[in-house]
Amino acid sequence: MQKKALTIGLSAFATIFYFVIILYIFFAILHIDTLKNFETALAFELIGFILLLYFILGNIILKPIKTGFYIPLLITTVAYTVLLDGLNIAFIVTMPNAYFVLVHLILLFIYCIISIPMYIMGRR
């Protein structure tokens, strides 16, 4: 049980530390709070963070997903989150808000098409 608690603590720390780094980049370096896509970028970052936190900690706390499905699912979630961060950093200034939302929704849709079947098959 102590190993499980240590795993939960270190996983939560690493995930939250990653989120703090992204928030620091947004607020201290990019000054995102002055840009027009501020709310949209933070909303999709929060979605990405919740997905990452769920798949990392959910596999430890809840009924574990089979390893053959968990590793690709985790890699897909990390790739989605990193791609999301890259899009937010690259296009937050130049892209109009409607296209910004559209690009993020398409990316989230593609992520869902890939990850939901892996998650369902891993739970059986």
Side-chain angles (χ1 to χ4, degrees), residues 54-55 58 62-63 65-66 69 73 114-124:
Y54 175 76
F55 286 128
L62 303 172
K63 181 182 172 189
I65 302 172
K66 296 175 188 171
F69 293 100
L73 183 61
I114 295 169
S115 66
I116 289 175
M118 281 193 288
Y119 183 73
I120 292 171
M121 294 297 289
R123 285 286 178 194
R124 289 186 184 179

Side-chain angles (χ1 to χ4, degrees), residues 8-30:
I8 291 171
L10 290 176
S11 298
F13 174 75
T15 308
I16 291 170
F17 187 65
Y18 170 76
F19 192 64
V20 168
I21 289 170
I22 296 303
L23 287 179
Y24 178 78
I25 290 171
F26 278 176
F27 286 102
I29 297 172
L30 295 178

Side-chain angles (χ1 to χ4, degrees), residues 44-59:
F44 281 101
E45 282 296 329
L46 188 61
I47 290 170
F49 176 69
I50 289 171
L51 287 170
L52 194 62
L53 197 62
Y54 175 76
F55 286 128
I56 290 174
L57 295 180
N59 195 45

